Amino acid sequence: MRIKHPPEETIGRLLAYLRTLLCLQEEGVATVSSQRLAELCQVKSSMVRKDFSYFGEFGTPGVGYNVDEMIRQLRKILKLDKALKAALVGVGNVGRALLLYPGFKEEGLRIVAAFDNDPGKIGQRVNDLVIEDVDALKKRVKQKGIRLGILATPVSEAPNVAERMAKAGLKAILSFAPCQLNMPKGVRVQCVDLAMEMARLVYHL
Amino acid sequence: MRIKHPPEETIGRLLAYLRTLLCLQEEGVATVSSQRLAELCQVKSSMVRKDFSYFGEFGTPGVGYNVDEMIRQLRKILKLDKALKAALVGVGNVGRALLLYPGFKEEGLRIVAAFDNDPGKIGQRVNDLVIEDVDALKKRVKQKGIRLGILATPVSEAPNVAERMAKAGLKAILSFAPCQLNMPKGVRVQCVDLAMEMARLVYHL
DNA sequence: ATGTGTGAAGAGCTTCACAGCC
DNA sequence: GGCTGTGAAGCTCTTCACACAT
């Protein structure tokens, strides 16, 4: 293996495995079999082994996987082994929640700058960060070497803001605006549409 | 067609089509071809037609799809044609943002009750809603006929709270806690893991 | 001419099943 | 005995290509 690139779904599952392995580590578990890990993540054991196999051979036949080692490997594979800086644009309710969200830290992610265009918000402090004018975005991105962006403005401004973020040099954008954003090639967008997730659930009722 | 159930991916795309059709409607567009709609949603036109074909024949050869009619049909297919009530548990930063989130209304979703276990929060008003004690969850769910739940507590409490939500009679739960939740059969869980979405983006950098 | 609906082909993902290793 | 790694089979989803409708 290792020649063929893994399916996108594999990446999602590797993240789930990592989350679970961190729990096991906390409980003091030293090794885990693909079967046990699969149970905990609600997938098939062959799936776990296949997912891992895209990146190498990490297990010991007859024993399983070493928890500490596997965590290290997954962090490396998922590029979560070094801290990453992100810039947030749009400090409304969602933006504020993201600034205060504790979950990012655990994955080595830090929001190091926040922007808005509302003069009433500019200058305010949230969680050790001073909200700046969006006009300062490009400068800060360059200065701090930021590569990740989080877009949390209303839909009406999203396409416009997204373009500015791309022009500022951000290479990947996590968008909370429920709309299509067409970006220049080389800039990746991931959309989190809360109403859509909710609606998906409704469909299955 | 119509015998085979559609892939899960189709549901996600139908929601995207609906979002786009609503934009077109606002712009006063009367009809749209699968090709145009596909462009706007960044998929192939055959995909659009196939997705629709799982549920019936909605288009006119040589013309395309009537925007108003298609919106009506999609709302019906996705069960978004009647208002749905949801209960929120955990009014922290994320929970508060969700209570104030405007996007739900457009899909006919309304959060009609909010709960927390922090005595300091119980009794507070957020957006016309008084935060109640979690102990009142079951009673309110029954009383108001709520079927959807939103879980926005810290991870440490999530499994516990999820169980209470299931026992209270909620049939589907949207969880913002980054952890696996095993629910009794018949209760569906959809997890929105913000750090995971972010990490997925990092991987592709 | 233009555009839908769909069977069939193609691509991609998951599961099986077993050889090989501890 | 127990478990991993993986080719091959099986399955699902997507794309093609064309008959048919306006």
Side-chain angles (χ1 to χ4, degrees), chain A residues 29 52 55 70 119 154 156 176 186 189:
Chain A
V29 178
F52 288 171
F55 301 94
M70 205 61 231
S156 56
F176 288 83
V189 177

Side-chain angles (χ1 to χ4, degrees), chain A residues 108-120:
Chain A
L109 296 164
R110 251 181 50 232
I111 301 178
V112 297
F115 304 87
D116 207 298
N117 66 354
D118 177 351

